Amino acid sequence: MSTQACAKILLIDGDAFFASNCAENLEREGFSVRCVADGAQGLNAARLEIPYAILLDMQAPAVGGFDLLRQVKSDPDLWRVPVLMLAEEERAEDAERCLKEGAREYLAKAHLVPGDAARNVKRVLQLS
């Protein structure tokens, strides 16, 4: 069993179509993926079963992306989990803020192609 086959990824995104496609891509690459639709569910899921990485939509319902990022990075059990922020479009000020607040990556959904999610997660987890 490869390392990534054991790697649990938490995907927090309210866009069911995007989340489904992203999860399929990650699963094809051997990751175990849990999808939740909003930030409140995401924080609970992260605390219950600490993931190897979190893909977090900046526009996550219930608890917004920036708020959730701060909560994850201030949690003593989660602060080391790499967070990859997902944005609808690329904005330099959002990217800067995400990285300043502890995100490892800032990814614009508009520029993601099939395979990008897994490639970015592998890079962050140093699996490739």
Side-chain angles (χ1 to χ4, degrees), residues 54-114:
I54 298 172
L55 288 164
L56 172 58
D57 182 13
M58 287 181 51
Q59 302 300 319
V63 178
F66 285 120
D67 290 334
L68 187 53
L69 175 61
R70 278 192 294 278
Q71 290 177 37
V72 166
K73 292 303 170 183
S74 66
D75 187 295
D77 295 324
L78 298 173
W79 71 272
R80 290 185 186 185
V81 175
V83 178
L84 294 83
M85 296 297 285
L86 301 168
E88 290 299 320
E89 57 189 53
E90 193 165 349
R91 294 179 36 184
E93 59 273 8
D94 286 343
E96 185 178 320
R97 182 176 173 193
C98 288
L99 298 174
K100 183 178 178 182
E101 293 193 24
R104 292 282 295 278
E105 295 277 335
Y106 172 88
L107 307 169
K109 291 180 181 181
H111 301 296
L112 290 177
V113 295

Side-chain angles (χ1 to χ4, degrees), residues 11-25 27 33-38 41 57 59-61 86 88 109:
L11 175 56
I12 305 167
D13 197 306
D15 180 340
F17 179 76
F18 176 83
S20 174
N21 286 334
C22 190
E24 284 178 22
N25 171 256
E27 288 169 348
V33 181
R34 176 160 184 203
C35 294
V36 295
D38 68 54
Q41 292 175 351
D57 182 13
Q59 302 300 319
L86 301 168
E88 290 299 320
K109 291 180 181 181

